[in-house]
Amino acid sequence: MRILPKLSSRHTDHRNYPPGIAYMDGQYLPIHEAKLSVLDYGFLHSDATYDVAHVWGGAFFKLGDHLDRFSRGMDALHMSIPYTKAQIIEILHNCVALSKLKNAYVEFICTRGTSPNFSRDPRDAENRFIAFAIPFGSVASKEQLECGLHLAITDVVRIPPSSVDPTVKNYHWLDMVKGLYAAYERGADTATLIDLNGNVSEGPGFNIFSITNGVVSTPDVSVLLGITRQTIFDICEELEVRCHAQDITVDKLKTADEVFITSTAGGVMPVTRIDERPIASGNIGPLSKRIMHAYWQLHNEGKHRDPVEY
Ligand SMILES: *Cc1c(COP(=O)(O)O)cnc(C)c1O
């Protein structure tokens, strides 16, 4: 047997990992010690569902909504874990408390897991629950939040709902990654994919909104029903602004008055350029600013907050 030299430099040095705490296989671990078997079907087949919630100023935001979506995803994929909802909540709180992070990105995952004897029958697998808390991260950088993102509308088709249910948060990301490379090639910051009918879909981990003549729109099908997306509907109702889930053509997005994207990772993020052309004046639009402000204001409201005891 030839022993190959150790190519440790090819792997990310764990000292470069973000600080954080994970829970897996019954234990809390520093994030760099949380490791998964290569035989887990979550890794081999992307056979998993997950959710990401955030902690802001020491409290979870809309945690119940994230847990409900996670639970629906597990049901849809015929997965189950031996934890009650109350126990999952406790685990997530513990990850954040142990990490000491006041603003955190909290991901929880159910993978198909591993099967005895490496059976290919998904019913044989023992599903695995993993959770972790790391520092809050955003789709957009600080400059992009201040000046707006440059979005490319790619011709990459989002995996159709008849193949993979987009309302189950999943790791089928090769379409998204293809979209990102296409966007970078065109000098853009990020990408939107299209649906099978050629309408706007969503991007890597975010929903898309356009504003035309004071009416806010976001795609209806072929997208994850984002918790932030729902928050935008609620904010618009509060602001007495019309907001609809409906098809958005590529032309409508390109000629919109304002565009923004939404994700738990970053909240409401403005887009000021599409395919190298500025949207309207090229500045962040007034309604987008009001919605962004309202989004962060909501974090102070007790009904959405679930404080962590550190
Ligand atoms: C997570 C995600 C979103 C955003 O959902 P939020 O609940 O607002 O974070 C949108 N699209 C995809 C594909 C996602 O994975």
Side-chain angles (χ1 to χ4, degrees), residues 50-52 66 69 158 166 169-170 173 176 202-207 223-230 262-265:
Y50 74 109
D51 218 290
V52 177
H66 289 278
R69 182 171 67 184
R158 179 84 180 108
K169 204 166 164 75
N170 66 71
W173 266 54
M176 300 289 199
E202 59 184 343
F206 57 81
N207 291 114
V223 296
L224 179 81
L225 305 177
I227 306 296
T228 323
R229 176 180 180 273
Q230 181 57 47
T262 64
S263 170
T264 295

Side-chain angles (χ1 to χ4, degrees), residues 72-143:
R72 280 197 305 276
M74 283 194 293
D75 287 347
L77 301 181
H78 308 278
M79 289 174 174
S80 63
I81 52 174
Y83 302 104
T84 62
K85 187 174 173 183
Q87 286 171 321
I88 296 175
I89 293 173
E90 189 184 329
I91 290 167
L92 299 179
H93 275 257
N94 286 344
C95 285
V96 176
L98 288 166
S99 76
K100 302 190 172 74
L101 293 163
K102 296 287 156 40
N103 297 327
Y105 175 104
V106 185
E107 181 153 343
F108 36 112
I109 307 160
C110 182
T111 71
R112 185 67 61 193
T114 37
S115 295
N117 309 320
F118 203 45
S119 153
R120 302 182 73 85
D121 183 338
R123 294 170 301 184
D124 292 339
E126 199 176 306
N127 305 156
R128 175 177 268 122
F129 176 72
I130 304 168
F132 62 84
I134 54 174
F136 183 77
S138 171
V139 170
S141 67
K142 192 163 172 286
E143 298 83 75

Side-chain angles (χ1 to χ4, degrees), residues 242-289:
R242 276 165 61 203
C243 183
H244 304 288
Q246 59 188 21
D247 284 346
I248 300 181
T249 62
V250 167
D251 253 7
K252 182 170 173 176
L253 189 69
K254 280 188 175 171
T255 56
D257 300 327
E258 301 181 34
V259 174
F260 60 85
I261 62 172
T262 64
S263 170
T264 295
V268 185
M269 297 163 277
V271 173
T272 49
R273 256 196 307 169
I274 292 184
D275 292 345
E276 283 153 47
R277 287 186 34 203
I279 299 167
S281 64
N283 296 317
I284 301 173
L287 188 48
S288 301
K289 277 190 186 160

